[in-house]
Amino acid sequence: MKAQIVYGSHYGSAKAYAQALAASLRIECLDYRDLPPQTKTDLLLYVGSLYAGGMVGLAKSLRAYDPQKVKGLFIISVGLADPQDRKNLEKIKRDIQGQVPPAWREKMTLFHLRGRIDYKSLNIKHQVMMKVLYHRLKTKAPQELKEEDRALLKTYGQTLDYMDLASLDPVLKGYRALVDQLEGLS
């Protein structure tokens, strides 16, 4: 059974998680920009950074595969939002499902990981986006702010690192269970 990891990363968090997964599973890992147009695999693990409600490279990557031939799709999002917060998780799921064509949805399993941010390394577009968000949050009443909003206000301009390679454990377990299941069907 062939499996492949593809990642889309702006600043390195998704890439670091993808490479750690590839090392643990001993499978190929590619940047989505390097995918050939007609790629073949049985299991696809896509690790992508979340930005403004979208996932870097996800839609483009899925177009490189035939959804009828891929038996399983793991989508692993990486962002600053805390996936333990139910509202965050619901929004992440909605945003991702909006990017995934219907032919893929029944094969899709979602995972959500936290990444990191270094404001000094952001490109100008992302600096502006974060500045707008920061100023919008400053105008809200304190009781309207979520915990992560307060954290952003407190840490704006600093380096934050929520990465935790141990958070890959559910992905690894899910992958192994799916491989066992698919091999049992063969």
Side-chain angles (χ1 to χ4, degrees), residues 44-58:
L44 174 61
L45 294 88
Y46 190 84
V47 183
S49 300
L50 294 170
Y51 287 96
M55 207 168 172
V56 176
L58 177 61

Side-chain angles (χ1 to χ4, degrees), residues 96-144:
I96 290 171
Q97 288 174 337
Q99 283 189 275
V100 176
W104 288 99
R105 290 188 189 144
E106 67 185 38
K107 301 169 191 214
M108 180 175 72
T109 304
L110 300 176
F111 297 91
H112 311 286
L113 309 175
R114 294 192 81 182
R116 61 182 169 227
I117 187 170
D118 178 0
Y119 286 88
K120 293 175 191 81
S121 71
L122 298 180
N123 67 33
I124 191 70
K125 176 183 168 186
H126 293 148
Q127 287 178 14
V128 170
M129 287 171 53
M130 292 306 292
K131 190 172 192 171
V132 167
L133 176 60
Y134 172 75
H135 286 291
R136 190 171 62 220
L137 290 174
K138 279 180 50 173
T139 65
K140 283 188 169 187
Q143 65 273 17
E144 293 177 30

Side-chain angles (χ1 to χ4, degrees), residues 131-163:
K131 190 172 192 171
V132 167
L133 176 60
Y134 172 75
H135 286 291
R136 190 171 62 220
L137 290 174
K138 279 180 50 173
T139 65
K140 283 188 169 187
Q143 65 273 17
E144 293 177 30
L145 295 171
K146 296 184 292 183
E147 185 58 39
E148 72 182 42
D149 296 336
R150 285 189 279 284
L152 189 142
L153 288 169
K154 184 178 177 182
T155 61
Y156 178 75
Q158 300 174 23
T159 299
L160 301 174
D161 190 346
Y162 298 110
M163 284 194 65

Side-chain angles (χ1 to χ4, degrees), residues 44-104:
L44 174 61
L45 294 88
Y46 190 84
V47 183
S49 300
L50 294 170
Y51 287 96
M55 207 168 172
V56 176
L58 177 61
K60 180 181 179 187
S61 297
L62 292 178
R63 287 192 296 270
Y65 296 89
D66 180 348
Q68 303 307 316
K69 294 183 179 170
V70 177
K71 297 176 177 89
L73 170 65
F74 282 21
I75 297 178
I76 303 128
S77 70
V78 180
L80 292 178
D82 184 357
Q84 300 304 315
D85 180 303
R86 184 182 51 81
K87 287 182 182 180
N88 286 343
L89 192 58
E90 289 169 5
K91 181 176 182 340
I92 293 168
K93 286 179 180 179
R94 276 192 315 274
D95 290 345
I96 290 171
Q97 288 174 337
Q99 283 189 275
V100 176
W104 288 99

